[in-house]
Amino acid sequence: MACESSSTRPAFLLLLCFLHGTASAQLSSTFYSTSCPSALSTIKSSVSSAVKNEARMGASLLRLHFHDCFVNGCDASILLDDTTNFTGEKNAGPNANSMRGFEVIDTIKSELESKCPSIVSCADILAVVARDSIVALGGPSWTVNLGRRDSTTASQSAANISIPPPTLNLSGLISTFSNKGFTAKEMVALLGSHTIGQARCLTFREHLYNENNIDATFATSLKANCPSSGGDSKLFPFDTTSPTSFDNAFFKNLQTHKVFLHSDQQLFSGGSTDVHVNAYSSNLSTFRTDFANAMVKMGNLSPLIGSSGQIRKNCRKVN
């Protein structure tokens, strides 16, 4: 039920819309079918263009959705700039100097506002953008359920607490994802997104210089460009074999201890998740299916619906 287009509806339909939004947390794949029928095609076109221009942007846009949903739900809070009333999430530890793609979202939002004013939420844009980015890089597609609304505040402290850091051990990873309702298998599938994107030297220096569960030749090659001090922002592709293709190479790299992050290698370290890494390494189709299903689940994390939140006209600020 596309309640965003309800301003011209009879009172009884307005009531149904209200009840639909407040009595159920269910989103709908057809939410904008009447209120903004060009929404999905508009988003897809912009994402395709952005990823074609810079393949890395696909991973950056996926990361925006992930870091949004893990902090108080999928409400586009990550897009808000700081104000006098709150300190936003953009400069939280996990996001500062690394979160990007905001301009792509701005462009999409501007186009949608010109076509369908105050209809499509920024939170829904992030969810669709994540899917379209993966598809643009050769990954699986999935049905994105829609109807999220946007938050009117953000929390830097919540971002610092909720987003898993690259220093976590396996138990910490499992606990963090379990707190969001994910099984260990779903966690492994989601972290398989590290088959695309890039890592900063700062995030894996400890793993590179102070741990021995990393291939020696691989480590030596990295040390040439990621010194023991300095060069924090130097970038390296997570997957050195096929960095811009959404495939299962990440899991093969785990098996040969050729990954960057301490937390990533924990997925294949003699623990309970080794079995999932082995399964995804040997079966790309299974990984694609499980990743898509886990992404649908992530998009359902505590959405604002009904009369909660708002539909921001500008994703960077509250109306």
Side-chain angles (χ1 to χ4, degrees), residues 62 130-143 185-186 188-193 195-196 244-251 276-277 279-297:
L62 171 67
R131 187 269 311 274
D132 290 351
S133 293
I134 294 301
V135 171
L137 294 173
S141 184
W142 58 91
T143 298
K185 183 179 181 180
E186 289 169 332
V188 174
L190 287 172
L191 290 176
S193 62
T195 191
I196 56 173
T244 60
S245 296
F246 193 89
D247 52 28
N248 61 345
F250 170 73
F251 300 108
H276 305 310
V277 172
Y280 293 148
S281 172
S282 62
N283 194 319
L284 174 59
S285 178
T286 299
F287 166 54
R288 288 169 61 93
T289 298
D290 288 357
F291 178 82
N293 290 335
M295 285 298 296
V296 171
K297 189 172 181 177

Side-chain angles (χ1 to χ4, degrees), residues 251-268:
F251 300 108
K252 301 178 189 296
N253 295 337
L254 279 172
Q255 293 173 318
T256 56
H257 296 88
K258 295 179 180 178
V259 296
F260 293 81
L261 304 183
H262 167 85
S263 55
D264 279 348
Q265 192 58 64
Q266 288 292 297
L267 301 179
F268 192 79

Side-chain angles (χ1 to χ4, degrees), residues 164-213:
T167 54
L168 285 181
N169 290 331
L170 182 58
S171 60
L173 283 170
I174 291 175
S175 176
T176 298
F177 278 80
S178 176
N179 288 339
K180 300 298 180 181
F182 293 103
T183 65
K185 183 179 181 180
E186 289 169 332
M187 173 191 74
V188 174
L190 287 172
L191 290 176
S193 62
H194 284 173
T195 191
I196 56 173
Q198 299 182 10
R200 290 180 297 158
C201 175
L202 172 68
T203 62
F204 62 86
R205 180 178 285 120
E206 185 73 17
H207 177 54
L208 179 59
Y209 284 93
N210 298 319
E211 299 178 3
N212 57 18
N213 60 341

Side-chain angles (χ1 to χ4, degrees), residues 1-6 9 11-23 306-307:
M1 186 177 296
C3 294
E4 289 310 320
S5 61
S6 62
R9 293 186 175 187
F12 78 93
L13 282 181
L14 288 176
L15 176 61
L16 285 177
C17 277
F18 175 77
L19 292 174
H20 172 78
T22 55
S307 59

